[in-house]
Structures are given as C-alpha cells and as structure tokens.
C-alpha cells in the first residue's frame, strides 16, 4: 500500500494569551496512512490527537513539519490548498449536534461541501440522495432539521456530508464517543461498510481502545503530542512495547470477567501539562520502568520491523515482562460463542492469563 | 492483573441481611396534556451489605432517575408515584425532608459524574469536604478540617495540604472525581450510589478511580449501586450485574452467570455492540428495525420493538422478571435457553 | 499582588478609553445641527457679527483643529465655557454633578433595598404569593415611565397629603444652603451641623429618590430572582442537597454565586442613571447634571454636553472598577 497521507515531524504550539509561554500540543509526530487503510490514533485527553487531525485537514496551522497528500504539500491552511484537493480530505467531528447547523435542513447540510466545489445543482441533488441512502437513512429525512434526529442519526448525516465529495481520506475525530454502545456499533459498522465499498482511508482518532482494535489496521499511540508507539493493530495490542501502550491497554475492560488485558506495568498519576514539558522521556514521571537515562534524554525511535516503531529505552524489558497474547482475539472468539447461544468452553480459567506478576 | 478485577470476594450469599431494598418503585414525569411518562416502572432491587451491584443501561433508560429516587430526590419535574425504598428498617420515601437530610451524605451517599460542575465553584475543596463532617458528624471546625485532609490522602490526591485550599476549577477531571469520592466516603456510609462516576475520565485514570473506590468500599464494608453505560466495567468491578431498559430491569444475575450465560435479547445486543461484529449484531436486531411496533409499555414488554424474538404475546403481556437459574433473573418470554 | 497589578493596568487603560470617549462625543456633538452664534446673537444678527463671533469662539477652524484645541484646554483643566450660564463648565458641573449623584445614589439604594429582598423571597418560593407580587411588580416597574410616576407621587404626597415640600429644587428657597464641601446638600448640612437645612434637603430628596427607587427596583428584582433561581437549580446546589446539606447552607452558597450578576445590573444602572434620571430631574427642577446637559444639547451649547459626557464616563469607569474588585473578592476563578 503506497501511503496517500504522509505526516513528517509535525509540531504545533499554541501561544497562551497574556504570557510568553506555549501549549506544546504536538511535539514531532511522524506517520503515514495508506490508501483504503484505517490508522487508529489513540491517546488520552490532552494528548494532542485532535490537533493532529485538525492540522491534517488544514483547520489548524502547523508550527513546523510537513504534511503531504499523494505527494502534494498540504502543510498550509485549507484555503490555500490546490483546488483539485478540495473535498479529497474530509473531517467528521465528535459532536454531530454541534457540527450540524440547527437551522439548516439535513439535505442542505449534506449538500454544503459540494457548493465549495461548484458542482451544478442537478448533479448535487443526485449526489445528496445517494449519500443519504449510503448511510442508511431515508430520503424523507433530507427535509428534517438536526434536532428531529437521534444522536446516532445525526452522526450518520455528518458522515454522509463528509462522504459526498468522494474523499480519499476521512479524519474521524472521536466520531462515536458521544454515542450509546448500540448506536456506536451501528456507526462503526457503517464506516467499515463504506470503506469496503469505496476504499476510503480513515484516520480514526479515539480514546476508546476496544473500538480502535476492531476498526483499525494499524494503530499509533499518542502521549503528550508524541507518537510513542505505532504498528500493526494486532501486534501492538497483543505485545505492546511501550510502557504507556501497555498501561493504556491494561486499563481496557472487556465485558467478560475472565479476560483482561493485564500488564505488570501500572501507570500512576495523570498526564502532565503540555505547557511545561518534562525533560527526557515524557512518560518518565509515571513510568515504573524509568531509569536515570529516561529523565535526561528523549528515547529515539526504534524500528522493530514490519512498521512497528517504539520510542523507549527499555522496550525489550517491556516485552519480557508480559507474555505476548492476543487476549482481544481470544475474548472475541469466546464472546462470539456466548452470543451465538452456544455453551462456553467449560469453566474458563483465565484464557487471557498473561501476567506473571 | 488490575487489582479491582482480582478475585472479588463474593458477598455472603446466605446472609439474609439487606443493605437496601427497592420495591415496586415508580417515577413519572408529567407530560403537558397527556399521560405522564414513566421513567422507572415498578422496579425491584435488593443489595446485600458489602455487595457491588452494577446497573448497565443506555442514556434515557432511567439510571440517574433511579439513583436520585433512592435518595427521594428525583430529577425535576419527576415524581415518585409508588414504591418503597427500605433502608435501615425505614422507608425513605416516607421520611420528612429534615430526616432525609440526616441520611443523605451520611448513611447513603452519591458519587456523581462531571464533578467539576457539581462542586461549588466559589468554595475551596477543603471547606466543602469539611462542611460534610461538620454537618453530619457534629465535628468542630478544627477536627472537620483534619478529617477532610485525611480523606484527601485516602483518595490519593497528590499534595493534599495544598489541594485543601484549591478551588474546583483548579483541579483536573480525575482529581475532582477523587474529591467527590472523598465527599461520598467521608462519613463511612453504609450505601453508596455511583452514577456514571468514571464516564468523563481517561482509561488510565478510570482504572485508578475504580480501584480506589473498590478498596474503600470493601474497607468500610459498604454496599454499592454502580451505574454505568460501559458494560465492560461491570464484568470486572461488580458482584452482580443488572441491565435496565426504559425504566425496567431486563436481566439481573451474578457476574459470572451474567457474562458467561446471558439470556435477555437486549443483553445480547449490548454485548454484540461491544464486539463490533456486524453479523452478531444483526442477529440481535429485528430484521426491519425501521418498522417500530407501537407497544403500550404498560401492558407489553418494553423491549418488543427492538427485539428480534418478539411475538404477539410480547405486545399484550409484560413478562415477569423470572428466576431462570439460581439468582439469574430474566424479564423475557423467549429468553436464550442454556443447558 | 495580582490585584494591584490588575488595578494598575485598569488605570493605565483609563486614559486612552477617555480619549476615545471624548473624540466620539466631540464628533457627535458637532454633528448636531444648530449654530450657537446664531442662537447667541438672536434673529437680528448680521452675517458679519456672526462671523466675528465664530472667530471668537474658535468655530472658524477645521474640526480636527477644534478638537486639538479642546484637548489642549482639557489638559489644563479647562472644559470650556457655557454660553447659557456664561460660567466655566467645570464650575457648573462641580456644582451640579453632586446633585445628580446624591439623587441617583439614594434612588439606587432604595431600588436595591426593594429589589433584592423581593427577588430573593420570590426565588425561594417560586409559586408563593410573594413571587406573584414580585412578578407583577417587575412587569409594572418595567412598563411605567419614571416621569409619570413622579407626577403621581407629587400629586399624592405633595398636592393631596402635603407631606413633602414643593417639587422645586433641592432645598427650600427660604433656607440658606450650607457651605458647599462635597456639593451633596444633605451631607454638607450634616457637616455644618445645620439641622434645619438637612431636614429641608432630605425632604426634597424623598420623592425623586423614591421615584427612581421604585422604577429601578424592577430590573434588580428580576435579575436577583432569575439568577438566584438558576443557582438554586444548579448542579452544585443539587449536589449539596444530595449530600444532605441543610437548606440554609445551600441557600447561602447559591446566594454567593448569584451575587455577581446582581452587582453587574446595579453597576450598569448606576452608570446609566447619571444621564437617565434627567426626566425626574426636570419634573422636580432638580438642577442636576443631566438637566444641564440636555439644555446644552437643545441650545447648541457644546461644552456643557462634552463636560457632562466626560464626567459621567469617569464616574462609570470608576464604578466598573469597583465592580471588578467585588468580583475579585467573590470569585476565585477571576482572581487566580
């Protein structure tokens, strides 16, 4: 897969009004997204993952670095992009209720991106009809206002609006965080169906790791504006090499009492302020494995092969602490058996048992 | 293994003692020129001392209404129209406001979500904590302050001396959540209601908060009603799990039985939703979800219009919450049969 | 420390703010049609006479030059001369501004004493009879013109009951006013120990202050009621009830949170009434600053108008500064 999006050494800092200091939101982020691929960007609030998304779609100006879309430079505000790239990269926000104009009918909202592309009205109507049906809503809904729709339906409309220009890349910024579990599952299924049909690439930004596990091909773990680990989603989830990834994963709670993504690594405290970045590795203050070196220098990226990259001096120790085990996949098999109404495999003795501590 | 998932000692099954008993509780919201909307319908639950009961439901299912109705303080303009909330031998729904004041926050306390909005913005955190001790435990200013500080230490807030003087807006979400937990546990209550207490938190902070909550609850041997949207938490944190849909309990069972052998179609859908397996999800959704049967939920099953197994009888007769195997109750005419 | 820094910065900004206000009002006043020279010389004036008067008044210069001259004089404390009173504007205002201030302050004090308790009482009991009265009152006070209420009060308390002195000025004509110290007659009378003058001045103050108080209690009442209701229904009040806090504590905390919006409305009214009380001043022949400015506008007498704008701007800025300090004291979110 040749990458369609390449982000190279991205930095972004926001000045704090009334002071000479900065919020250092992104601190050197490098990744790429292949055509038709989903890259999950996971991290906690304040990690800068949303800012990365906004920089890519040209809503936020970057402080340094380079973003290329199919080889063309787009590291500038959207207004100054080459014309033929407009509509090729779209964004879906977390709160559909806020991204849709409450005084605009659904049909008008979906149509809007086409206006900027100067699509003639006759074509627009056909495209809108196609778009709303693609997201599983009926054409009658085009006449409604956002307030008359459920949150899940609103998010479908937001997706229809993003998809109407046939984008090759969609940045999905926490598209399901505001939704109930059943509505969330429907939206995820819809996104996967669209990807299968149209081959759209996704940058899926989320703090919900289990959803990321199911929707992504690759995953990048963000901490304080840095990608600390990235790689194939199955590999990272089964054998995380960065203590932060391991800690983050161990906090995921699967709906089965016998499966947990446990780790001997436990993170203490909370994410530090992005105003005063710590010296050395950003995780050092919370990391149980931190050594003196971690507090002095930033670990360089270490390539583990197969696109698996990690920023940690002690990633080999992380690997040896926990056995690699794809608990997610094992849980999934077991849960599918339960849901099919079949008997479980007897008294399960902690199939996900990976802990040695 | 996360400590809170570590073999939670099941509550004494044989103990007849009940920490809190809710019977036939009904909460209605008036509707302009129409029949009132029933938010909680004839709901029964009992929680044993030392037990953590998980209550899972989606938004609008009546979770918060139930939590607040237990304290006889339903969200306005809702009204409790029937039922009993028995605690310590008395029915809380029959107490005067003054008598309730002495129970709320002292014997039964609540951990709320979005704590930064719930704390008074103009009062330092330490003062808010201390005033609980002053009001409920008749402590003087000095010892109330000492207790508050002790509590902040217990919930593992870094630098508690300084945090005592902090205002709510100076705290992070996780820290504010710890403060609210400290307030809830201040008087060693016998019953704690946690209403979506971890929803706004990051997963690593959530893990810390859950562990803390479990530890303190066990230490004080309190009972807890743990309300959440996230079915995953209950699998590791609760002794028993209940699913609520439109103000009714659909399934309630001990944790193992609930997750290893769920029986209600709605529970199945919730679990399938977690897996993001389209086939399974479709199997637990009616074939034509857009055609919604207009069921009178007063006489029929509330889940009829979303249920793939619904038949005629579901619209006309409400199923009882019936015990299938020991301790595992399901409200369904056609539950999954296992064994 | 922070607070001193803050005040310093505010004071620093006052000068450019005032300059801006003076510029805008200078342009506005100059754009009012009417030629003072024509009005001063009367209908029989010759064009030559008018032209020479223009020269004397400096009206032959271009607008920017006129403004520059005005500013230069201003820097020396010269606010110009009123052709109507033929006295320096500064002297006129020093005499009249305290009169308006006395009236407005007392009126507003009455308004607060009426509005705040009524607003609180109706917030505590949303469906009670007090809330009913408060709603009715808020509506009535908002829709009544103040000069009309003034006339009604004069009719009742002066014409019919004879409880108050005639609505003609600030003190009985037969009484020698106390020596001016503050310019506020009641205070000056007390300072001089002149009880007779005090009684007369206070008597004259009763009706106009009552008029302003009754009218302006309306917005204060509504604001107190709505913000208190909002605070009592807020998440943190509800949480305190859930925690079993006694009612009086919940109310006290809610009150503190409601205070900033009440203080805001009071400060806005204070600034507004300096000029807004003019109709009441006219009805009672008060001879205050508002009346003075209106006469200036009507007679193309520029300098009194500009002087008045300057005085009330300084006063408003001062009031807002005090309000900010109150916010500082109440709300840690601002002071931290």
């Amino acid at each position: 897969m040749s990458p369609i999006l390449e982000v190279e050494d991205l930095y972004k800092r926001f000045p704090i009004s009334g002071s000479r200091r900065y919020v250092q939101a992104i601190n050197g982020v490098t990744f790429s997204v292949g055509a038709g691929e989903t890259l999950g960007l996971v991290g906690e609030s304040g990690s800068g993952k949303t800012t990365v998304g906004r920089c890519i779609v040209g809503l936020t100006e970057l402080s340094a670095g380079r973003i290329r879309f199919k080889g063309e430079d787009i590291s500038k505000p959207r207004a100054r992009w080459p014309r033929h790239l407009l509509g090729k990269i779209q964004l879906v926000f977390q709160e559909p209720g806020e991204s849709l104009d409450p005084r605009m009918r659904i049909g008008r909202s979906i149509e809007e991106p086409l206006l900027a592309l100067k699509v003639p009205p006759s074509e627009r109507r056909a495209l809108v009809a196609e778009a709303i049906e693609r997201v599983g809503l009926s054409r009658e809904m085009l006449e409604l206002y956002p307030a008359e729709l459920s949150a899940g339906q609103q998010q479908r409309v937001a997706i229809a609006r993003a998809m109407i220009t046939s984008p090759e890349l969609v940045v999905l910024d926490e598209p399901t965080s505001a939704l109930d579990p059943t509505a969330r599952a429907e939206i995820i299924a819809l996104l996967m169906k669209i990807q299968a049909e149209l081959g759209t690439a996704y940058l899926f930004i989320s703090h919900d790791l289990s959803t990321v596990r199911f929707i992504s091909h690759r995953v990048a773990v963000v901490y304080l504006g840095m990608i600390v680990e990235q790689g194939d989603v199955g590999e990272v989830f089964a054998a995380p090499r960065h203590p932060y990834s391991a800690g983050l994963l161990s906090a995921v709670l699967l709906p089965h009492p016998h499966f947990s993504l446990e780790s001997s690594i436990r993170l203490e405290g909370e994410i530090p302020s992005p105003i005063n970045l710590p010296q050395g590795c950003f995780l050092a203050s919370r990391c149980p494995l931190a050594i003196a070196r971690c507090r002095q220098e930033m670990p360089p990226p270490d390539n583990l092969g197969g696109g698996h990259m990690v920023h940690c001096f002690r990633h080999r120790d992380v690997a040896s602490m926990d056995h690699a085990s794809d608990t997610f996949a094992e849980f999934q098999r077991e849960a599918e058996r339960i849901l099919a109404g079949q008997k479980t495999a007897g008294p399960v003795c902690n199939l996900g048992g990976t802990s040695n501590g | 293994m996360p400590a809170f998932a570590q073999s939670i000692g099941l509550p004494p099954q044989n103990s007849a003692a009940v920490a809190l008993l809710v019977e036939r509780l009904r909460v209605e919201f008036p509707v302009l020129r129409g029949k009132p909307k029933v938010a909680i319908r004839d709901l029964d639950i009992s929680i044993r001392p030392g037990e953590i009961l998980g209550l899972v439901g989606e938004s609008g299912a009546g979770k918060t209404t139930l939590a607040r109705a237990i304290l006889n303080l339903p969200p306005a303009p809702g009204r409790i129209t029937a039922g009993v909330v028995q605690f310590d031998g008395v029915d809380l729904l029959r107490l005067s406001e003054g008598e309730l004041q002495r129970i709320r926050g002292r014997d039964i306390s609540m951990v709320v979500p979005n704590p930064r909005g719930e704390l008074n913005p103009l009062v330092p955190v330490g003062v808010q904590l201390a005033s609980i001790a002053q009001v409920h435990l008749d402590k003087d200013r000095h010892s109330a302050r000492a207790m508050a500080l002790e509590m902040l230490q217990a919930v593992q807030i870094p630098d508690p001396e300084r945090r005592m003087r902090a205002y709510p807006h100076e705290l992070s979400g996780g820290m504010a959540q710890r403060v609210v937990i400290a307030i809830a546990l201040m008087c060693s209550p016998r019953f704690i209601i946690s209403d979506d207490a971890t929803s706004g938190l990051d997963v690593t902070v959530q893990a810390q908060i859950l562990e803390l909550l479990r530890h303190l609850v066990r230490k004080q041997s309190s009972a807890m009603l743990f309300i959440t949207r996230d079915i995953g938490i209950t699998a590791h944190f609760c002794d028993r799990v209940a699913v609520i849909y439109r103000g009714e309990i659909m399934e309630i069972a001990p944790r193992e039985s609930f997750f290893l052998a769920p029986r209600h179609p709605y529970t199945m859908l919730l679990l399938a939703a977690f897996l993001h397996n389209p086939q399974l999800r479709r199997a637990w959704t009616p074939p034509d979800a857009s055609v919604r049967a207009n069921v009178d939920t007063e006489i029929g099953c509330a889940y009829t219009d979303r249920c793939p197994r619904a038949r005629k009888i579901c619209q006309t007769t409400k199923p009882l919450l019936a015990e299938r195997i020991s301790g595992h109750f399901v409200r369904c005419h056609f539950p999954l049969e296992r064994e | 420390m922070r607070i001193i820094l803050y005040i310093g910065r505010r004071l620093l900004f006052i000068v450019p703010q005032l300059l801006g206000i003076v510029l805008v009002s200078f342009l506005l006043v100059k754009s009012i049609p009417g030629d003072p020279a024509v009005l001063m010389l009367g209908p029989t004036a010759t064009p030559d006479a008018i032209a020479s008067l223009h020269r004397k008044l400096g009206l032959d210069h271009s607008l920017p030059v006129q403004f520059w001259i005005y500013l230069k004089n201003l820097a020396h404390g010269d606010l110009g001369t009123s052709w109507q009173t033929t006295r320096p504007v500064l002297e006129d205002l020093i005499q009249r501004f305290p009169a308006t201030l006395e009236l407005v302050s007392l009126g507003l004090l009455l308004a607060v004493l009426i509005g705040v308790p009524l607003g609180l009482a109706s917030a505590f009991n949303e469906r009670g009879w007090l809330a009913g009265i408060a709603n009715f009152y808020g509506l009535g006070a908002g829709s009544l013109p103040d000069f009309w209420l003034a006339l009604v009060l004069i009719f009742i308390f002066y014409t019919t009951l004879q409880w108050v002195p005639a609505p003609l000025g600030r003190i009985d004509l037969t009484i020698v006013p106390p020596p001016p110290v503050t310019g506020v007659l009641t205070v000056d009378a007390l300072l001089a120990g002149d009880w007779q003058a005090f009684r007369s001045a206070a008597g004259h103050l009763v009706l106009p202050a009552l008029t302003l108080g009754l009218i302006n209690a309306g917005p204060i009442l509504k604001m107190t009621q709505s913000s208190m209701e909002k605070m009592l229904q807020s998440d943190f009040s509800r949480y305190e009830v859930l925690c079993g806090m006694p009612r009086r504590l919940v109310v006290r905390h809610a009150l503190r949170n409601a205070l900033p919006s009440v203080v805001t409305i009071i400060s806005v009214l204070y600034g507004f009434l300096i000029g807004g009380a003019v109709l009441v001043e006219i009805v009672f022949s008060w001879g205050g600053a508002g009346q003075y400015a209106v006469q200036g506008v009507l007679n193309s007498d520029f300098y009194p108008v500009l002087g008045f704008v300057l005085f009330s701007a300084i006063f408003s800025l001062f009031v807002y500064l005090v309000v900010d300090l109150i916010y500082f004291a109440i709300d840690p979110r601002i002071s931290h």
Side-chain angles (χ1 to χ4, degrees):
Chain A
M1 259 187 300
S2 67
I4 56 167
L5 179 79
E6 293 161 279
V7 176
E8 234 180 83
D9 226 13
L10 181 66
Y11 281 83
K12 175 67 198 177
R13 50 183 210 174
F14 295 99
I16 302 169
S17 61
S19 105
R20 246 171 275 134
R21 293 187 302 173
Y22 291 88
V23 174
Q24 288 164 306
I26 310 179
N27 303 295
V29 158
T30 302
F31 65 89
S32 63
V33 182
E37 182 191 49
T38 300
L39 173 69
L41 202 58
V42 299
E44 300 178 281
S45 49
S47 62
K49 54 192 193 304
T50 293
T51 313
V52 171
R54 292 180 62 91
C55 283
I56 291 169
V57 296
L59 287 178
T60 298
E61 204 162 353
L62 33 154
S63 305
R66 222 174 150 73
I67 304 174
R68 271 192 299 259
F69 181 71
K70 296 173 97 178
E72 286 188 78
D73 182 60
I74 55 164
S75 8
K76 49 195 164 199
R78 205 177 174 86
R80 289 195 274 127
W81 282 9
R83 278 207 60 81
H84 67 276
L85 287 186
L86 285 179
K88 290 293 165 202
I89 304 179
Q90 293 284 28
L91 176 70
V92 174
F93 292 98
Q94 173 174 2
E95 292 283 345
E98 284 165 29
S99 66
L100 297 174
D101 186 335
R103 283 173 300 273
M104 218 185 249
R105 286 181 204 277
I106 298 304
R108 249 314 253 119
S109 281
I110 296 178
E111 190 182 22
E112 238 196 341
L114 294 178
L115 301 177
L117 297 179
K118 305 221 162 59
V119 178
S122 53
E123 265 177 67
R124 288 208 300 256
R125 197 157 319 132
L127 283 169
V128 169
E130 190 190 335
I132 190 119
E133 277 169 10
R134 182 177 297 132
V135 297
L137 297 177
S138 68
R139 286 192 197 196
E140 284 83 67
M141 287 195 171
L142 292 173
E143 296 304 312
L144 299 180
Y145 289 95
E148 298 171 84
L149 270 53
S150 71
Q153 287 171 329
Q154 286 175 352
Q155 197 57 290
R156 282 169 190 265
V157 170
I159 292 169
R161 182 175 62 176
M163 290 297 169
I164 198 160
T165 57
S166 313
E168 289 176 56
L169 172 74
V170 180
V171 176
L172 300 153
D173 186 7
E174 303 261 10
T176 58
S177 301
L179 303 177
D180 273 321
T182 53
R184 175 184 312 159
E186 287 169 18
I187 293 293
I188 295 299
L190 173 68
L191 288 170
M192 292 174 93
K193 186 189 82 153
I194 290 174
Q195 187 171 55
E197 284 171 11
L198 307 177
T200 320
Y202 294 144
L203 179 66
F204 188 85
I205 300 171
S206 180
H207 67 264
D208 176 1
L209 281 99
S210 49
T211 302
V212 168
R213 172 67 177 81
F214 287 112
I215 195 176
S216 313
H217 302 103
R218 288 191 305 121
V219 64
V221 182
V222 193
Y223 186 73
L224 270 188
M226 256 193 77
I227 293 182
V228 294
E229 178 167 12
Q230 62 178 311
D232 176 79
V233 75
E235 200 176 316
V236 173
F237 273 62
R241 298 293 287 272
H242 196 283
Y244 181 67
S245 317
L248 202 58
L249 279 165
S250 72
V252 172
L253 299 172
L254 300 171
H256 192 299
H258 300 157
F259 290 90
S260 41
L261 288 85
E262 52 216 35
S263 162
S264 349
I265 292 169
R266 303 276 304 285
L267 297 176
E268 300 298 330
E270 297 175 35
I271 194 164
S273 145
I275 298 170
N276 301 312
L277 288 177
Q279 205 198 345
C281 174
F282 292 167
L283 189 69
S285 63
R286 296 177 71 187
C287 179
L289 300 183
I291 48 176
R293 192 181 174 197
C294 301
R295 298 196 179 84
Q296 285 146 17
E297 42 180 314
M298 171 71 75
D302 209 338
N303 204 328
L304 308 176
H308 196 161
M309 188 278 304
V310 62
H311 275 275
C312 181
F313 290 125
R314 300 199 61 189
H315 67 83
R316 278 176 204 89
D317 301 311
V318 177
S320 67
M321 282 178 83
D322 296 317
H323 304 294
S325 136
D326 198 351
T327 312
F328 242 98
E330 286 164 21
F331 155 74
Q332 197 170 5
R333 277 194 293 279
E334 175 67 10
E336 278 165 8
R337 211 163 31 228
I338 292 171
L339 283 174
Q342 293 161 4
K343 278 211 286 185
T344 57
V348 199
C349 295
N350 206 354
L351 282 178
T354 56
S355 170
N356 52 6
Chain B
M1 183 177 240
F4 55 84
Q6 237 157 31
S7 59
I8 297 168
L10 279 174
Q13 292 276 354
N14 49 3
S15 156
V18 168
L20 186 97
L21 181 71
V22 175
E23 274 184 330
R24 299 181 316 282
L25 182 70
R26 197 177 175 90
V27 182
E28 299 182 347
F29 283 77
V31 169
L32 202 66
R33 282 190 291 276
K35 273 205 301 190
K37 189 181 161 295
V38 182
I40 298 290
R41 188 188 305 277
D42 311 330
L43 186 137
D44 302 311
I45 44 171
S46 71
I47 302 168
R48 289 185 285 270
E51 184 185 37
I52 300 177
L53 172 67
L55 183 73
V56 181
E58 300 192 285
S59 43
K63 304 188 298 289
T64 296
T65 308
L66 172 63
R68 308 250 318 262
I70 288 175
L71 286 168
N72 198 354
L73 208 79
R79 283 188 333 114
I80 299 171
T81 50
V84 174
V85 176
Q86 193 146 333
F87 176 78
D88 212 9
V90 290
D91 181 3
L92 298 183
L93 304 185
R94 302 204 187 290
L95 294 185
S96 71
E97 196 58 26
E99 288 166 316
L100 282 166
Q101 246 173 42
R102 278 191 288 280
I103 291 174
R104 290 180 193 143
R106 193 182 78 174
D107 300 314
I108 305 180
S109 66
M110 192 154 158
V111 183
V112 290
N114 176 29
R116 265 188 290 191
E118 305 276 345
L119 294 169
N120 191 323
L122 306 186
V123 182
V125 167
V127 175
Q128 299 194 43
L129 264 162
S131 65
I132 297 278
Q134 281 173 292
V135 166
H136 288 309
L137 306 174
D138 286 326
K139 298 278 178 194
D140 61 66
R141 248 184 129 92
H142 186 73
S143 50
R145 223 195 93 86
M147 265 193 86
L149 187 62
E150 218 171 281
M151 232 28 239
L152 284 186
Q153 280 158 350
V155 296
Q156 293 160 20
I157 281 189
D159 202 356
E161 278 282 359
R162 196 161 64 87
R163 299 293 173 209
M164 286 285 282
R165 291 187 300 274
Y167 290 93
H169 72 276
E170 298 170 302
L171 303 177
S172 70
M175 213 116 65
Q177 195 67 64
R178 284 169 203 264
V179 170
V180 168
I181 290 175
I183 288 177
L185 297 176
M186 191 90 182
C187 309
S188 310
R190 271 169 295 160
F191 191 74
I192 298 162
I193 304 166
S194 158
D195 183 11
D196 230 347
T198 58
S199 62
L201 302 177
D202 284 317
V203 282
T204 56
V205 181
Q206 167 178 290
Q208 296 166 16
I209 295 280
L210 286 176
E211 191 179 317
L212 176 73
L213 205 51
R214 196 192 64 94
H215 170 74
L216 294 173
V217 165
R218 291 277 188 255
K219 203 175 92 187
Q220 300 182 351
S221 65
S222 320
M224 177 151 78
L225 177 65
F226 186 84
I227 296 171
T228 179
R229 291 203 306 185
D230 182 351
I231 198 166
I233 296 181
T234 60
H236 303 273
F237 186 66
C238 302
D239 305 313
R240 274 194 304 152
V241 181
V243 167
I244 186 171
Y245 183 78
R246 290 214 203 161
E248 292 179 63
I249 302 281
M250 289 298 172
E251 180 161 12
I252 178 166
R255 178 175 55 154
E256 298 271 319
S257 182
F258 182 92
F259 284 101
L260 270 56
R263 286 156 195 265
H264 196 282
Y266 182 52
T267 311
M268 306 300 272
L269 180 69
L270 286 176
L271 290 169
F274 189 95
L275 286 176
H276 296 293
N277 180 328
Q279 280 160 346
L280 279 175
R281 205 166 41 75
R282 225 169 294 134
W284 292 105
T285 340
D288 193 356
S290 56
V291 185
R292 289 272 159 102
N294 212 350
V295 183
D296 181 353
T297 47
E298 197 62 47
I299 55 166
C301 172
Y303 192 60
T304 311
D305 58 357
R306 288 181 70 185
C307 185
R309 299 191 150 204
R311 291 186 219 161
K312 193 90 204 157
I313 185 177
C314 302
Q315 294 190 28
T316 54
T317 315
K318 185 181 283 297
L320 295 172
L321 189 61
E323 191 165 12
R324 294 284 154 174
I325 55 166
S326 160
H328 196 140
F329 293 81
V330 185
R331 186 191 294 281
C332 184
H333 290 300
F334 310 104
L336 234 78
E337 293 302 339
R338 296 178 187 267
E339 311 297 290
Chain C
M1 206 51 241
R2 266 185 111 86
I3 190 158
I4 293 169
L5 227 106
Y6 174 81
I7 295 175
R9 201 155 50 186
R10 275 298 288 265
L11 289 176
L12 211 70
F13 276 117
I14 277 185
V15 176
Q17 269 173 328
L18 283 179
L19 267 179
I21 290 169
V22 169
L23 173 65
V24 170
S25 40
F26 188 84
L27 292 177
L28 280 176
V29 167
K30 284 289 176 186
S31 68
I32 298 172
D35 187 340
V38 177
L39 287 168
M40 284 162 86
L41 295 173
T44 57
T46 61
D48 278 353
I50 290 175
S52 81
L53 188 56
H54 271 173
R55 262 193 305 283
K56 217 177 114 198
L57 293 176
L59 292 174
D60 53 338
H61 296 297
S62 68
L63 217 54
V65 175
Q66 286 185 39
F67 183 61
W68 177 242
I69 293 171
Y70 181 72
L71 278 188
K72 264 203 320 214
N73 292 338
L74 205 57
H76 295 106
D78 177 7
L79 295 176
T81 307
S82 161
W83 67 262
Q84 294 181 90
T85 62
T86 65
R87 278 153 43 100
V89 167
L90 188 64
E91 274 178 32
D92 276 346
L93 279 175
I94 283 175
Q95 191 190 358
R96 287 158 196 260
F97 208 76
T100 297
L101 217 53
E102 178 185 32
L103 171 60
V104 166
S105 304
L106 190 66
L108 205 58
L109 184 67
L110 281 176
V112 170
L113 290 180
I114 299 167
V116 171
L118 260 182
L120 289 179
S122 54
F124 292 150
N125 192 356
E126 279 172 62
R127 290 192 193 80
W129 57 273
L130 249 174
I133 292 179
N135 281 333
F136 182 76
Y137 181 81
L139 208 70
S143 57
L144 282 184
D146 51 2
F147 68 90
W148 181 82
L149 181 66
L151 292 174
V152 171
L153 290 179
I154 289 170
F155 178 75
I156 297 173
F157 291 104
Y158 169 67
T159 317
T160 312
L161 297 174
Q162 297 270 324
W163 286 0
V164 293
L168 295 167
R170 302 164 65 194
I171 195 162
D172 282 327
L173 288 172
T174 52
I175 289 174
V176 182
V181 180
T182 60
V184 177
L185 278 187
T186 42
V187 176
D188 287 346
L190 283 182
L191 287 178
D194 185 346
W195 284 104
Q196 200 190 12
F198 176 76
R199 257 201 308 279
S200 172
H204 279 86
L205 200 52
V206 169
L207 278 196
L210 191 62
T211 309
L212 289 178
L214 285 174
I215 294 287
N216 291 293
I220 294 176
L221 184 159
K222 288 314 269 184
M223 182 59 90
T224 310
Q225 183 186 9
S226 71
S227 59
M228 193 63 194
E229 266 173 24
K230 207 170 91 198
M231 289 307 153
L232 281 174
Q233 287 163 6
S234 70
D235 287 351
F236 64 81
S237 290
R238 199 186 60 199
Y239 179 61
E240 284 176 345
V241 176
L242 278 173
C243 287
M245 288 295 170
R247 172 100 178 141
R248 59 183 161 76
L249 211 70
V250 178
V251 166
R252 211 167 64 205
H253 285 161
L255 187 60
R256 206 165 152 214
N257 278 278
L259 217 49
S261 34
V262 177
V263 170
T264 304
I265 186 88
I266 292 173
S267 69
V268 169
L269 282 176
Y270 210 0
F272 162 77
L273 279 179
I274 294 298
V278 63
L279 288 178
V280 175
E281 285 187 6
I282 290 171
V283 170
F284 289 95
S285 310
W286 197 250
Q291 218 175 331
Y292 180 64
V294 167
Q295 287 298 329
V297 172
L298 294 177
N299 294 308
S300 298
D301 198 359
F302 303 135
Y303 296 116
V305 182
L306 286 173
F308 172 76
V309 169
L310 201 62
F311 261 64
S312 37
I314 292 173
F315 178 73
S316 290
L317 290 176
F318 173 74
V319 168
Y320 292 151
L321 186 65
V322 171
V323 167
D324 281 344
L325 294 182
I326 295 176
Y327 287 169
F328 249 90
I330 296 177
D331 196 336
R333 282 168 296 187
I334 298 170
S335 49
H336 278 242

